[in-house]
Amino acid sequence: MTIAHTLGALSVMAGALLAAQSAQAQDNTFINPDWANSAWYIGAGAGQSRATIDEPRLRASLAANGETVTGFSKDQRDTGYKLFVGRQLNQYFALEAGYFDLGKFDFKSTTSGNGVLNGQAVFRGVNLDLLGQLPLSQRLSLLGRVGMHYTKANTEFSGNRLLGSTNTHASERKLNAKLGLGLEYKFSEALALRGEVERYRLNDAVGNRGDADLYSVSLVYKLGRPASATPAYQPAPEVAPVVAMPAPVIEAKPAPAPVSEKVSFASEALFDFDQSTLKPQGKAALDQLLGQLTGMDLEVIVTVGHTDAVGPDAYNQKLSLRRAEAVKAYLVAQGVETSRVYTEGKGETQPVADNTSAAGRAKNRRVTVEVVGTRKVMR
């Protein structure tokens, strides 16, 4: 397949995945990117493999031995598969090792004088790749890989025109380079679908050197995903009044009254545009908030995400919830009890300014954090 055909196939795949993304068929949230960007993962893929059999070289070899080729057929396609394990180094790079089987490729030839020469080559090996990932959106990424593979090639010949060779079976192991290009669509933080084209440089054990391509679809699963369920907010149950006998009056200092503190952050301070991954300066702002809570007995923290009115209502609702969940995940990572943090996504339903101006829309893109607790009284 030419580079133009490869890029064309990838463009069609990208269009289909972007359409799936806009439809939001999967209602998953991305609330723990720090885990996803450092996780181990496993995967498996299968597809069609293609190789080129050197027909001119084989015809020339037969002609050099006084044979006239009367028929030649070849099968240059088969089913290939791969199994792999990897480690995400960061958002953009991963290291991946795997085992692959490219299948078998064969030819059949006939010559004058009832001559027959048949051949078959099989390729299996292991690989180690550096995988690059360029996010096109939160779910869709462009993939590129470069690596090495150690492959065993088994080549067999049969027939009555063996070109004077007594070795009907040859085997060779070689270290060669490989390249790849593809797309990845994330159904969730843990599960993704890949479509890839990979080219393997190969030796066929009888002096030929060429390339084989594998066009595959793979499923990738990241291991060790932390629990992300958010408990539903439950108000404290009302306590029935208790009738008691009069008791001696004891003076006591009044208990400190609960206080509520509410902080509003501009979305641009916490997140990049249309993203729900906290920026470093967003984490610093939340660290400052946590520092202000020193000396408070926390009862509950409520994080609420808001958006402007640009874009579909359903998308804005989910984006606002993802951002609130991202704030919660960070607070929990800093030691706040997960049972005390609740999240809400209000989408574009509660604007605080006019959405017809850029300044108004900026004010509406926000995340509010409300803290309820009691300040400890110094004695």
Side-chain angles (χ1 to χ4, degrees):
M1 179 178 281
T2 65
I3 293 178
H5 288 163
T6 301
L7 293 176
L10 290 172
S11 298
V12 171
M13 188 183 302
L17 292 177
L18 283 171
Q21 179 183 15
S22 63
Q24 291 291 307
Q26 298 291 334
D27 187 17
N28 290 292
T29 58
F30 292 74
I31 66 170
N32 204 333
D34 290 337
W35 162 77
N37 291 335
S38 61
W40 286 90
Y41 62 86
I42 57 174
Q48 187 177 86
S49 55
R50 299 182 184 182
T52 300
I53 293 176
D54 194 353
E55 180 179 347
R57 181 174 182 271
L58 291 167
R59 285 178 175 270
S61 298
L62 289 167
N65 284 269
E67 303 289 341
T68 300
V69 178
T70 58
F72 196 98
S73 64
K74 53 189 175 181
D75 184 359
Q76 302 180 117
R77 301 183 181 184
D78 201 4
T79 298
Y81 69 89
K82 59 180 182 175
L83 304 171
F84 53 91
V85 60
R87 172 67 185 272
Q88 199 73 35
L89 303 178
N90 53 44
Q91 183 180 4
Y92 302 103
F93 292 100
L95 195 62
E96 193 171 290
Y99 169 83
F100 62 87
D101 185 336
L102 298 179
K104 63 181 179 180
F105 312 95
D106 54 49
F107 73 90
K108 297 179 180 180
S109 63
T110 57
T111 67
S112 55
N114 295 321
V116 175
L117 175 64
N118 301 326
Q120 175 181 286
V122 178
F123 301 96
R124 300 185 181 95
V126 293
N127 65 281
L128 180 65
D129 298 343
L130 178 66
L131 182 68
Q133 298 162 301
L134 177 63
L136 303 178
S137 69
Q138 190 175 54
R139 294 180 183 271
L140 184 63
S141 298
L142 179 65
L143 305 180
R145 67 170 68 236
V146 60
M148 303 296 292
H149 66 96
Y150 186 69
T151 299
K152 179 180 180 181
N154 290 316
T155 305
E156 296 184 358
F157 294 98
S158 62
N160 54 16
R161 295 293 188 271
L162 295 178
L163 307 179
S165 172
T166 58
N167 186 9
T168 61
H169 176 84
S171 177
E172 187 174 54
R173 294 176 173 85
K174 283 287 186 180
L175 182 67
N176 279 304
K178 68 186 291 281
L179 299 169
L181 187 65
L183 291 167
E184 180 179 88
Y185 181 79
K186 296 179 178 65
F187 296 112
S188 69
E189 286 178 327
L191 183 64
L193 178 71
R194 288 181 186 173
E196 290 186 275
V197 180
E198 295 170 272
R199 170 154 292 184
Y200 297 76
R201 192 67 170 163
L202 296 171
N203 298 73
D204 69 357
V206 290
N208 292 325
R209 183 174 172 86
D211 299 314
D213 298 327
L214 177 62
Y215 305 83
S216 64
V217 175
S218 306
L219 280 176
V220 183
Y221 184 74
K222 291 185 176 178
L223 304 173
R225 184 180 188 181
S228 59
T230 303
Y233 178 74
Q234 296 289 340
E238 295 184 2
V239 179
V242 177
V243 178
M245 296 298 293
V249 177
I250 301 175
E251 291 188 8
K253 294 182 179 180
V259 294
S260 175
E261 299 181 6
K262 189 172 184 178
V263 181
S264 181
F265 297 96
S267 289
E268 286 78 359
L270 301 180
F271 306 98
D272 287 325
F273 175 73
D274 198 33
Q275 298 294 309
S276 58
T277 300
L278 278 169
K279 298 192 295 186
Q281 54 266 45
K283 295 179 180 179
L286 292 175
D287 287 340
Q288 185 176 0
L289 172 63
L290 289 172
Q292 296 171 356
L293 302 182
T294 303
M296 175 182 284
D297 290 328
L298 288 178
E299 293 184 10
V300 67
I301 297 178
V302 181
T303 67
V304 183
H306 302 268
T307 69
D308 58 26
V310 178
D313 295 352
Y315 179 81
N316 286 336
Q317 168 64 28
K318 291 176 182 177
L319 176 62
S320 67
L321 181 58
R322 289 200 303 270
R323 287 179 166 177
E325 292 279 9
V327 172
K328 173 186 175 175
Y330 185 75
L331 295 178
V332 171
Q334 302 309 305
V336 179
E337 294 181 27
T338 186
S339 61
R340 296 188 182 277
V341 187
Y342 303 94
T343 59
E344 293 183 62
K346 296 297 185 181
E348 59 189 68
T349 61
Q350 294 184 354
V352 295
D354 190 351
N355 272 306
T356 59
S357 67
R361 290 192 294 272
K363 292 180 180 179
N364 290 332
R365 295 190 297 268
R366 66 197 192 280
V367 175
T368 62
V369 180
E370 183 172 6
V371 180
V372 179
T374 54
R375 290 287 183 184
K376 294 179 181 179
V377 178
M378 301 297 295
R379 295 181 182 274

